[in-house]
Amino acid sequence: MRIDIWSDVVCPWCYIGKRRLEQALAESGDQAEITWHSFQLDPSSTNDDPRDLAERLGSKYGRGREWAVQANEHVTSVAAAAGLEFNLQDAKAANTVDAHRLIHLARELAESGEKDLHGLLKERLMKAYFTDGLPVGDHATLTRLAVEVGLPEDRVTEVLAGTTYEAEVAADQAQALAYGANGVPFFVIDEMYGVSGAQPVEVFQEALRRANADRKPVTLITAPGATDPSDAACGPDGCPI
């Protein structure tokens, strides 16, 4: 089973949705090849904004700091129910384009036979932002985290020094919009079933069930007493008479 996921490493519902999908997969026993795609919630964000997350959110949505504090408390409690520890008071402002570029590097390495580096890096970057309070837009931090999960330091340094994978990041974002996804997380299962948002585990289980049903082989039904279902069918070698 193939699952494509669009998300941002600083999106709380993306992390929660990741855990809920993982729970659904674990409970169903399904094996899935997961591909992570880039989606920047705010491409204009900077790495040097000194405001805390509550200040940034309250200003962005025009609803004030107290509203943002309550919103953060709510999502923190939802995350806890999914087994995640959020310390949003420590979350650092970040532009995530470089984090996404490194995930593309990790995906390329995985395709050439390495372990699931891009899945490992995705998880580490999310934990770094939401739990550890690390600046995931900072090159030194990104390098350390990428090397920690197994990426070669020379390749990481090379990517961060230039613009490699910027086009791929933009293409991912464009593909999400083409699917009609204006927000994330957005999941596509077997290129057939889409799940928008961090839906309950039961919704993911239903999507997995439908995908499995569509991939089951066709059961042949033959006439009573027939020994070969191809007796009344034409094939590449002609038709039986």
Side-chain angles (χ1 to χ4, degrees), residues 53-55 57-58 63-73:
L53 181 59
E55 289 287 350
L57 289 177
R63 303 185 67 176
R65 178 183 176 81
E66 289 307 311
W67 168 83
V69 168
Q70 293 178 8
N72 285 343
E73 289 174 351

Side-chain angles (χ1 to χ4, degrees), residues 119-170:
L120 292 172
L121 183 57
K122 183 74 173 186
E123 172 69 24
R124 186 64 187 95
L125 290 172
M126 286 180 144
K127 181 178 182 295
Y129 180 79
F130 289 105
T131 304
D132 302 333
L134 296 175
V136 295
D138 172 68
H139 282 194
T141 301
L142 286 171
T143 300
R144 178 170 65 82
L145 296 175
V147 172
E148 179 184 311
V149 300
L151 273 70
E153 185 171 357
D154 58 336
R155 292 294 305 279
V156 172
T157 300
E158 178 186 0
V159 168
L160 291 177
T163 60
T164 307
Y165 301 115
E166 279 190 2
E168 286 81 353
V169 172

Side-chain angles (χ1 to χ4, degrees), residues 45-62:
S45 61
T46 64
N47 297 323
D48 57 359
D49 189 333
R51 298 174 298 170
D52 66 9
L53 181 59
E55 289 287 350
R56 299 196 306 272
L57 289 177
S59 175
K60 179 178 179 179
Y61 294 107

